[in-house]
Amino acid sequence: MDIQSLFGLDGKVALVTGGATGIGRMACEALVRAGATVLMASRKGDACEAVAAELNALGASGKAIGFAGDVGSEAGVDALVAAVKERTDTLDILMNNAGITWGAPLGDFPHKAWEKVMNVNVAGMFDLTQKLLPMLIASGSVDDPARVINVGSVMGEREMGDGAYSYSMSKAAVHHMTRILGKELAGKHVTVNALAPGPFVSKMTAFATHDEDTREKVGKDVPVGRVGRDEDIAGCMLFLCGRGGAYVTGAIIPVSGGINVMSGPNIFEQALH
């Protein structure tokens, strides 16, 4: 068994939305290092171009191309699809990573926080996937299907509002979308899986991960004792996108350090001591 053939991505073409920062950037670097050509899109096209230049300076076998793209509206999705088609005739991997959040306490959570978050995190993700399906289906085969990787959250898996109600519920929708599309697209040689991350360093979590001391404090509340690292995302991406993950679809991968299996205290603890 050739390990490189299981996880290498030479010749593959990927699109990563929200690719300039956080989990998206971690994924882009992993894909480039594995040999893929990675199209990186986010609302800040200049940031994507800058990160693409950084990745291309690594001397890896793949390459990155950065440009602007917004999945927050139907027009934005259509423009992104057109931009992708201008840059490639084939698409093997789609990572739906772009997402936004909104924080406010229960009782003050505004109505407008639902439309904005759901438009990006759910409607935009579905619409982009739907409109890129012809390219994905064309590149997939029974032995090497095309891949869709959706980014959900452990907050969509556990009963965690934490002031981000529309975000948490949107990520639960992402997980259900992943299972539905995993079922419907399996016969078309497209696998659909999702990551459900816990705390990682990103702009979205900057309030809790902006420095080493704060990250250490947050990590103490994670069962494995730390926040997520770049290699945690890289390992998942290379598995799900490489030949080694070709037989997996509809899965929600809990990249959360055990938060996904946290529960309440032992109800018999006092009686046993």
Side-chain angles (χ1 to χ4, degrees):
M1 182 180 296
D2 181 4
I3 298 300
Q4 178 60 30
S5 71
L6 289 179
F7 304 109
L9 299 173
D10 288 341
K12 299 294 185 181
V13 178
L15 169 65
V16 178
T17 63
T21 61
I23 287 172
R25 194 210 182 283
M26 297 173 199
C28 286
E29 180 168 345
L31 296 172
V32 167
R33 288 188 182 277
T37 295
V38 183
L39 308 180
M40 306 169 52
S42 76
R43 286 175 293 174
K44 297 182 179 179
D46 54 346
C48 283
E49 291 176 10
V51 172
E54 293 173 7
L55 297 181
N56 290 333
L58 294 174
S61 55
K63 67 177 181 179
I65 303 169
F67 55 97
D70 184 3
V71 298
S73 67
E74 184 176 8
V77 171
D78 288 342
L80 177 53
V81 171
V84 169
K85 291 180 177 179
E86 287 174 3
R87 291 164 173 82
T88 181
D89 295 324
T90 62
L91 186 67
D92 305 286
I93 298 163
L94 168 62
M95 185 186 193
N96 286 308
N97 170 70
I100 61 173
T101 188
W102 192 300
L106 187 63
D108 294 320
F109 202 81
H111 188 280
K112 62 184 178 181
W114 289 93
E115 182 178 11
K116 186 170 184 178
V117 171
M118 287 293 188
N119 274 347
V120 174
N121 295 6
V122 183
M125 181 182 291
F126 178 86
D127 198 35
L128 179 64
T129 304
Q130 178 175 246
K131 287 171 177 172
L132 290 175
L133 269 180
M135 296 181 75
L136 291 164
I137 291 170
S139 73
S141 68
V142 67
D143 293 319
D144 190 13
R147 318 300 167 93
V148 176
I149 314 297
N150 297 327
V151 178
S153 171
V154 70
M155 293 183 71
E157 197 168 15
R158 305 296 299 170
E159 300 80 1
M160 301 167 67
D162 297 348
Y165 301 101
S166 56
Y167 175 82
S168 294
M169 294 178 205
S170 75
K171 293 304 185 178
V174 167
H175 296 174
H176 200 49
M177 183 198 312
T178 298
R179 297 184 185 102
I180 290 171
L181 294 182
K183 173 186 175 182
E184 294 190 2
L185 297 176
K188 299 182 183 295
H189 309 316
V190 178
T191 66
V192 186
N193 296 290
L195 304 181
F200 279 79
V201 179
S202 69
K203 285 189 175 181
M204 190 177 290
T205 63
F207 69 95
T209 61
H210 62 280
D211 60 56
E212 187 60 40
D213 288 342
T214 310
R215 289 194 290 273
E216 186 174 345
K217 290 177 182 177
V218 172
K220 288 179 179 178
D221 290 328
V222 177
V224 303
R226 64 172 176 85
V227 300
R229 298 171 181 154
D230 291 17
E231 57 263 32
D232 299 318
I233 295 299
C236 289
M237 289 300 294
L238 297 185
F239 166 63
L240 291 174
C241 295
R243 294 290 286 266
Y247 206 50
V248 178
T249 195
I252 314 299
I253 309 297
V255 202
S256 61
I259 296 174
N260 57 301
V261 289
M262 290 176 69
S263 61
N266 183 343
I267 60 173
F268 302 111
E269 184 174 1
Q270 296 303 316
L272 295 173
H273 291 87

